[in-house]
Amino acid sequence: MNRVAFLFTRAPHGSSAGREGLDAVLATGALSEDVGLFFIGDGVLQLTEQQQPKTILARDYIATFGVLALYDIEQCYICQHSLLARGVSLSAERVLTAQVLESDVLRQTLASFDRIICF
Protein backbone atom coordinates (compact mmCIF):
# COMPACT_ATOMS: atom_id res chain seq x y z
CA MET A 1 0.00 0.00 0.00
CA ASN A 2 1.24 3.47 -0.84
CA ARG A 3 2.12 5.93 1.88
CA VAL A 4 0.06 9.07 1.26
CA ALA A 5 0.99 12.54 2.53
CA PHE A 6 -1.38 15.48 2.61
CA LEU A 7 0.31 18.86 2.47
CA PHE A 8 -1.71 21.79 3.82
CA THR A 9 -0.29 25.09 2.57
CA ARG A 10 -3.20 27.55 2.74
CA ALA A 11 -4.87 29.51 5.53
CA PRO A 12 -8.07 27.92 6.82
CA HIS A 13 -10.86 30.21 5.68
CA GLY A 14 -9.65 32.14 2.61
CA SER A 15 -10.63 29.27 0.33
CA SER A 16 -12.18 25.83 0.49
CA ALA A 17 -8.78 24.10 0.19
CA GLY A 18 -8.49 23.25 3.89
CA ARG A 19 -11.98 21.78 4.12
CA GLU A 20 -11.54 19.82 0.90
CA GLY A 21 -8.14 18.59 2.07
CA LEU A 22 -9.57 17.37 5.34
CA ASP A 23 -12.39 15.56 3.49
CA ALA A 24 -9.78 13.88 1.28
CA VAL A 25 -7.74 12.87 4.35
CA LEU A 26 -10.78 11.22 5.92
CA ALA A 27 -11.68 9.38 2.73
CA THR A 28 -8.12 8.16 2.27
CA GLY A 29 -7.78 7.28 5.95
CA ALA A 30 -10.69 4.89 5.62
CA LEU A 31 -8.79 2.98 2.92
CA SER A 32 -5.13 3.35 3.85
CA GLU A 33 -3.19 2.68 7.02
CA ASP A 34 -0.29 5.00 6.26
CA VAL A 35 -1.43 8.61 5.98
CA GLY A 36 0.58 11.64 7.05
CA LEU A 37 -0.44 15.28 7.41
CA PHE A 38 2.02 18.12 6.88
CA PHE A 39 1.34 21.77 7.63
CA ILE A 40 3.63 24.38 6.07
CA GLY A 41 3.38 28.04 5.13
CA ASP A 42 -0.04 29.49 5.88
CA GLY A 43 -1.24 25.91 6.36
CA VAL A 44 0.06 26.02 9.94
CA LEU A 45 -2.90 28.31 10.69
CA GLN A 46 -5.27 25.38 10.03
CA LEU A 47 -4.46 24.10 13.52
CA THR A 48 -4.99 27.35 15.41
CA GLU A 49 -7.25 27.01 18.45
CA GLN A 50 -10.40 29.10 18.97
CA GLN A 51 -11.04 30.05 15.37
CA GLN A 52 -14.30 31.88 14.77
CA PRO A 53 -15.24 31.24 11.12
CA LYS A 54 -18.91 32.10 11.68
CA THR A 55 -17.81 35.73 12.10
CA ILE A 56 -16.94 35.77 8.39
CA LEU A 57 -19.83 33.45 7.48
CA ALA A 58 -17.52 30.49 6.84
CA ARG A 59 -18.17 26.87 7.70
CA ASP A 60 -16.51 25.62 10.90
CA TYR A 61 -14.73 22.48 9.76
CA ILE A 62 -11.70 22.80 12.06
CA ALA A 63 -13.30 20.65 14.79
CA THR A 64 -13.28 17.76 12.31
CA PHE A 65 -9.51 17.44 12.81
CA GLY A 66 -10.44 15.79 16.12
CA VAL A 67 -11.96 12.85 14.23
CA LEU A 68 -8.60 11.84 12.71
CA ALA A 69 -7.78 9.65 15.71
CA LEU A 70 -10.78 7.45 14.85
CA TYR A 71 -9.13 6.79 11.48
CA ASP A 72 -5.78 6.00 13.14
CA ILE A 73 -4.18 9.02 11.48
CA GLU A 74 -1.45 9.95 13.90
CA GLN A 75 1.41 11.15 11.68
CA CYS A 76 0.99 14.91 11.82
CA TYR A 77 3.83 17.35 11.30
CA ILE A 78 4.04 21.13 11.41
CA CYS A 79 6.85 23.34 10.12
CA GLN A 80 8.76 25.18 12.83
CA HIS A 81 9.94 27.92 10.47
CA SER A 82 6.38 28.55 9.22
CA LEU A 83 5.08 28.89 12.79
CA LEU A 84 7.80 31.35 13.76
CA ALA A 85 7.40 33.37 10.54
CA ARG A 86 3.71 33.88 11.40
CA GLY A 87 4.37 34.77 15.02
CA VAL A 88 2.85 31.55 16.37
CA SER A 89 4.45 30.09 19.47
CA LEU A 90 5.96 26.64 19.08
CA SER A 91 4.14 25.57 22.23
CA ALA A 92 0.76 27.12 21.34
CA GLU A 93 -2.34 24.98 21.83
CA ARG A 94 -3.55 23.39 18.61
CA VAL A 95 -6.70 21.56 17.54
CA LEU A 96 -4.55 18.56 16.61
CA THR A 97 -1.40 17.15 18.13
CA ALA A 98 1.36 17.70 15.59
CA GLN A 99 5.07 17.19 15.86
CA VAL A 100 6.96 20.44 15.24
CA LEU A 101 9.86 19.80 12.85
CA GLU A 102 12.63 21.96 11.46
CA SER A 103 12.32 22.55 7.70
CA ASP A 104 15.01 20.10 6.61
CA VAL A 105 13.67 17.28 8.82
CA LEU A 106 10.15 17.97 7.60
CA ARG A 107 11.33 17.73 3.97
CA GLN A 108 13.06 14.41 4.66
CA THR A 109 9.96 13.04 6.38
CA LEU A 110 7.74 14.20 3.51
CA ALA A 111 10.10 12.57 0.98
CA SER A 112 9.53 9.19 2.64
CA PHE A 113 5.92 9.14 1.38
CA ASP A 114 4.98 7.62 -1.99
CA ARG A 115 2.26 10.12 -2.88
CA ILE A 116 1.90 13.79 -1.92
CA ILE A 117 -1.39 15.61 -2.29
CA CYS A 118 -1.37 19.39 -1.81
CA PHE A 119 -4.16 21.58 -0.51
Side-chain angles (χ1 to χ4, degrees):
M1 183 71 124
N2 285 330
R3 299 182 73 211
V4 182
F6 288 87
L7 184 62
F8 289 85
T9 63
R10 296 187 184 169
H13 304 295
S15 72
S16 63
R19 184 179 69 242
E20 291 171 359
L22 185 55
D23 288 344
V25 167
L26 294 173
T28 303
L31 303 172
S32 177
E33 294 180 12
D34 206 350
V35 175
L37 277 62
F38 294 80
F39 299 88
I40 65 168
D42 287 341
V44 300
L45 301 174
Q46 294 280 341
L47 302 182
T48 303
E49 283 258 326
Q50 300 179 6
Q51 295 183 32
Q52 298 176 358
K54 292 179 183 179
T55 305
I56 59 168
L57 304 177
R59 184 174 151 214
D60 186 6
Y61 67 91
I62 299 300
T64 309
F65 278 109
V67 176
L68 294 177
L70 298 174
Y71 290 79
D72 293 325
I73 298 173
E74 299 172 350
Q75 299 179 78
C76 301
Y77 309 97
I78 190 165
C79 178
Q80 177 181 1
H81 175 76
S82 297
L83 286 171
L84 295 174
R86 284 150 188 82
V88 180
S89 169
L90 299 179
S91 60
E93 292 290 323
R94 297 185 182 86
V95 297
L96 176 68
T97 301
Q99 184 178 357
V100 178
L101 298 177
E102 293 182 8
S103 299
D104 58 337
V105 177
L106 188 130
R107 278 191 297 273
Q108 291 172 353
T109 305
L110 183 60
S112 72
F113 283 80
D114 300 310
R115 302 282 181 254
I116 301 172
I117 303 171
C118 297
F119 287 95

